Amino acid sequence: RDLHSPSRRQRQMCIRDRDDTLWNIADKYKKPGQDVREYIYEIKKLNNMESATIYEGQELTIIIYEEVK
């Protein structure tokens, strides 16, 4: 395993703000260099979502990538 590759874990998150979007969430949590659209696809698949629309109060499982030190 590459020592510099990111590790992956999942976390539940609740959408708190009606202005939250999958794009904003993806931009914050995607792995370095990953295309935002690829991360959005992963989140949609993980949560069995057909569209990228999210709602205030909705709970999502997201993937958090962390650099392995």
Side-chain angles (χ1 to χ4, degrees):
R1 178 174 160 151
D2 182 356
L3 292 177
H4 299 290
S5 67
S7 65
R8 170 184 160 146
R9 63 186 169 105
Q10 295 178 1
R11 181 181 116 194
Q12 288 289 121
M13 98 177 279
C14 182
I15 306 305
R16 291 184 204 55
D17 189 327
R18 64 182 170 169
D19 294 328
D20 280 340
T21 64
L22 273 187
W23 190 273
N24 294 349
I25 293 167
D27 196 43
K28 182 175 181 178
Y29 293 107
K30 69 182 179 66
K31 62 187 165 191
Q34 183 179 24
D35 188 292
V36 173
R37 293 166 292 196
E38 180 184 336
Y39 186 88
I40 289 171
Y41 173 79
E42 291 176 6
I43 297 306
K44 285 174 54 182
K45 187 174 176 184
L46 187 62
N47 290 278
N48 298 312
M49 298 169 66
E50 292 186 15
S51 78
T53 303
I54 58 176
Y55 303 96
E56 186 176 2
Q58 181 177 355
E59 289 194 5
L60 289 177
T61 299
I62 61 170
I63 301 165
I64 300 174
Y65 293 97
E66 295 183 46
E67 292 294 328
V68 176
K69 306 263 183 206

